[in-house]
Amino acid sequence: MAGRLVSQFSTKSSRISNRNSLKLFNTETYIRRSLNRSYTHRNITTINNDYNRRNNFSIGTLFQRFYSIESASFTVQDEDDFKDNVLNNPDDKLILVDFYATWCKPCKIYTPRLEQAVSENSDNVILAKIDIDKLSDLAMEYDVNSVPTVIAFREGKRVGHLIGVQTQEFIQQFIESRV
């Protein structure tokens, strides 16, 4: 499937004119059609990388625009980033902090559920992701003993938490009760 998708994209990209405005229009149209077919994130990344290699024209921001899950979340880079964007967040939004590990199989199951719930409530909820292997001090500070763990913050205060893999309905109820 990925090979067919890349070859379709390559054929489409070869028809795009050299002018940036026409490139942007054709690329944007192609992305809309591709995402309506519900391709996986891996296939979208493959398309983006292939297109960048061939045309020296990044379309990553367009994927973020149409793939709305990405726009409602961010990855915490360090402790200062956590303080600025989670604890001192000026918005009155609920911030869910997902403590995960790249090697964690339950995290890989749980993350899409969490991202979908956040995208459905993107006006009121932001998802912050923290890799416990990179930011172990933050994980210890918030008593994260197992992954996945989600801690909810509002106005810099902890307002709830989830430990382990939860169902989509339970995550949605958890968010709605705190929004």
Side-chain angles (χ1 to χ4, degrees), residues 24 39-40 51 54 59 82 88 116 157 160 170-171 179:
L24 184 63
Y39 291 117
T40 64
Y51 190 78
R54 293 175 187 270
I59 57 174
F82 179 79
N88 299 327
Q116 182 178 353
K157 296 184 177 100
F170 190 81
I171 298 168
V179 171

Side-chain angles (χ1 to χ4, degrees), residues 8-166:
Q8 285 177 351
F9 192 80
S10 299
T11 304
K12 178 69 176 181
S13 66
S14 65
R15 288 186 237 147
I16 295 176
S17 169
N18 289 333
R19 293 194 326 242
N20 281 344
S21 60
L22 186 57
K23 270 187 181 180
L24 184 63
F25 174 77
N26 288 339
T27 305
E28 191 169 306
T29 303
Y30 184 77
I31 292 169
R32 284 180 202 250
R33 289 180 186 151
S34 296
L35 292 179
N36 286 339
R37 293 184 197 131
S38 69
Y39 291 117
T40 64
H41 182 70
R42 182 175 178 270
N43 289 343
I44 291 171
T45 304
T46 303
I47 292 170
N48 191 25
N49 292 341
D50 183 60
Y51 190 78
N52 288 342
R53 254 193 327 271
R54 293 175 187 270
N55 298 296
N56 295 324
F57 179 73
S58 178
I59 57 174
T61 55
L62 292 174
F63 276 113
Q64 286 182 354
R65 185 186 311 163
F66 297 112
Y67 200 61
S68 62
I69 290 173
E70 297 295 324
S71 63
S73 67
F74 67 95
T75 302
V76 175
Q77 303 299 320
D78 56 20
E79 290 186 30
D80 292 333
D81 188 29
F82 179 79
K83 288 176 186 171
D84 294 341
N85 294 315
V86 176
L87 298 179
N88 299 327
N89 188 3
D91 297 333
D92 187 33
K93 292 186 175 185
L94 179 68
I95 300 175
L96 299 180
V97 180
D98 177 22
F99 289 90
Y100 73 97
T102 56
W103 47 264
C104 171
K105 300 254 187 233
C107 297
K108 293 177 183 179
I109 295 169
Y110 189 54
T111 298
R113 294 178 189 177
L114 189 59
E115 288 175 340
Q116 182 178 353
V118 168
S119 70
E120 290 172 3
N121 296 291
S122 62
D123 295 339
N124 302 318
V125 181
I126 298 172
L127 177 62
K129 300 177 186 179
I130 297 178
D131 185 348
I132 62 165
D133 293 328
K134 293 180 181 174
L135 297 172
S136 57
D137 291 342
L138 275 176
M140 289 172 47
E141 183 178 338
Y142 288 97
D143 297 323
V144 175
N145 296 321
S146 63
V147 287
T149 296
V150 175
I151 301 176
F153 288 89
R154 181 179 287 284
E155 297 175 359
K157 296 184 177 100
R158 186 176 176 162
V159 294
H161 68 276
L162 297 170
I163 298 173
V165 177
Q166 306 294 333

